[in-house]
Amino acid sequence: MPLTEFIAFSVFAWIGSLTPGPNVAIAATTGVNHGVRAALPQVMGVPFGFVLMMWLVGMGGAVVLQGSPALVWGMKLLGNGYLLLLAWRLCFSAQLSDSQRMQPMTLLQSALFQVVNPKAWMMLVAATSTYAIGQQDFMPRMGCMSLGFALPSALSLLLWAWMGQQLREWLQVGQRLRLFNLGMGMSLAATAIWMSLL
């Protein structure tokens, strides 16, 4: 991959990873409610699931998805339904480490969640079709893109979880945590509704 293309791809990957979306909201909420350590499985699971999906799309999965609107619709329904379930649980979580409401995601759950995460699909389809599919150096490009997505994704989630953890003490005063969880839950719900319209 030429340097100019790699720079453009890297900017895309960093912006896509750092900007709000379902993974970021879950990491920040986990940081607030359970601490950074509890978010580590998600920090590892998201890049793993995302990169695996990117390879599947790059190796021909995009053709399958284009030929099956019902599959795409079903994935969108599952993904947004799961986001709405998380949003519901989060809106009614009123204390730190409320394990009955909002448990941290496991590595496997985080990896599998990428399959139904609309933002992940938008990013990986855009990246693979722009930077890899149809290129003579397809495999090296996919290798660069794997690292180029995994590193920003993991660091971004770690940063958001850390920022959430820094708010823990401040949020323990009065109704601040309830309001934070309500706001994050509503943000996840809004994300789900917005993505369902795309």
Side-chain angles (χ1 to χ4, degrees):
M1 179 182 291
L3 181 60
T4 53
E5 281 189 50
F6 183 73
I7 291 171
F9 163 75
S10 296
V11 169
F12 171 77
W14 278 101
I15 290 173
S17 297
L18 285 167
T19 52
N23 289 322
V24 163
I26 293 168
T29 303
T30 301
V32 165
N33 288 280
H34 302 279
V36 171
R37 184 173 291 175
L40 293 180
Q42 184 195 12
V43 168
M44 294 180 288
V46 168
F48 177 77
F50 187 87
V51 169
L52 180 60
M53 282 171 41
M54 186 184 71
W55 276 93
L56 293 174
V57 166
M59 300 300 279
V63 175
V64 173
L65 291 174
Q66 287 174 346
S68 181
L71 179 60
V72 173
W73 183 83
M75 289 171 60
K76 184 183 276 193
L77 185 67
L78 279 172
N80 290 318
Y82 185 65
L83 284 179
L84 289 172
L85 174 65
L86 288 177
W88 176 263
R89 289 179 176 171
L90 188 53
C91 282
F92 295 99
S93 178
Q95 55 189 337
L96 292 174
S97 300
D98 188 346
S99 58
Q100 294 179 342
R101 290 286 179 190
M102 188 67 182
Q103 296 179 356
M105 293 180 94
T106 66
L107 190 146
L108 182 59
Q109 288 172 331
S110 301
L112 291 175
F113 175 66
Q114 301 321 297
V115 174
V116 293
N117 179 352
K119 182 181 177 187
W121 279 105
M122 287 187 283
M123 286 180 61
L124 71 89
V125 168
T128 53
S129 60
T130 302
Y131 297 106
I133 294 174
Q135 300 291 333
Q136 287 186 339
D137 56 344
F138 171 79
M139 296 299 273
R141 282 173 178 261
M142 290 292 284
C144 285
M145 290 169 59
S146 296
L147 183 59
F149 268 127
L151 185 62
S153 175
L155 292 176
S156 168
L157 294 172
L158 200 56
L159 173 66
W160 280 95
W162 176 81
M163 288 190 298
Q165 181 174 282
Q166 299 313 300
L167 291 173
R168 282 173 66 91
E169 194 172 315
W170 183 80
L171 288 171
Q172 290 184 51
V173 176
Q175 295 294 310
R176 291 175 182 169
L177 180 66
R178 182 183 293 274
L179 293 173
F180 173 83
N181 284 341
L182 181 63
M184 292 301 282
M186 291 173 66
S187 130
L188 267 182
T191 300
I193 292 166
W194 172 69
M195 290 185 173
S196 69
L197 300 174
L198 296 177

